[in-house]
Amino acid sequence: MAGHIQAGADALVMDAADHVATAIRDITAGETLHYMVPGGKEALTASEPIPFGHKIAITDIEAGAKVRKYGEVIGQATTAIPKGAHVHVHNIEGIRGRGDKAKGAESI
């Protein structure tokens, strides 16, 4: 599914259910960035640097919550992630194909 990149956007949100946006350029800490969502353009302040291609939280994400990008779960938050924070391997873990995360899985 190809989407339109709106002029003036600094990050992309792929689905209305997403918790994150993807930076389409390097973002500096303290910078206000703009991203498009259904119904208009939103803005938020980055609390830390966000490298090109990385994710930024567009909503507060609770520790243990499933994180959505592309309208799909891409992982689970290992700690609380505030809106504006960098979202990457330091605060989410993948859960796809993880037998230890399957319902009823026993500890090894």
Side-chain angles (χ1 to χ4, degrees), residues 78-92:
T78 58
T79 186
I81 306 169
K83 181 177 179 176
H86 184 205
V87 179
H88 199 53
V89 298
H90 66 283
N91 55 13
I92 65 169

Side-chain angles (χ1 to χ4, degrees), residues 68-105:
R68 291 189 179 274
K69 179 180 176 183
Y70 314 116
E72 300 291 330
V73 173
I74 60 164
Q76 184 172 349
T78 58
T79 186
I81 306 169
K83 181 177 179 176
H86 184 205
V87 179
H88 199 53
V89 298
H90 66 283
N91 55 13
I92 65 169
E93 65 180 354
I95 57 176
R96 286 189 175 184
R98 296 233 358 223
D100 63 323
K101 295 289 183 176
K103 185 176 180 179

Side-chain angles (χ1 to χ4, degrees), residues 5-100:
I5 298 176
Q6 177 73 32
D10 304 299
L12 300 176
V13 175
M14 305 306 288
D15 188 275
D18 290 352
H19 299 115
V20 299
T22 303
I24 57 174
R25 64 175 181 80
D26 290 337
I27 307 293
T28 59
E31 182 179 351
T32 298
L33 64 108
H34 298 90
Y35 59 95
M36 298 302 295
V37 294
K41 189 188 295 188
E42 298 285 333
L44 64 87
T45 301
S47 59
E48 54 194 312
I50 312 296
F52 169 78
H54 283 231
K55 297 172 293 299
I56 185 169
I58 60 172
T59 186
D60 291 331
I61 303 169
E62 294 181 19
K66 297 201 173 22
V67 179
R68 291 189 179 274
K69 179 180 176 183
Y70 314 116
E72 300 291 330
V73 173
I74 60 164
Q76 184 172 349
T78 58
T79 186
I81 306 169
K83 181 177 179 176
H86 184 205
V87 179
H88 199 53
V89 298
H90 66 283
N91 55 13
I92 65 169
E93 65 180 354
I95 57 176
R96 286 189 175 184
R98 296 233 358 223
D100 63 323

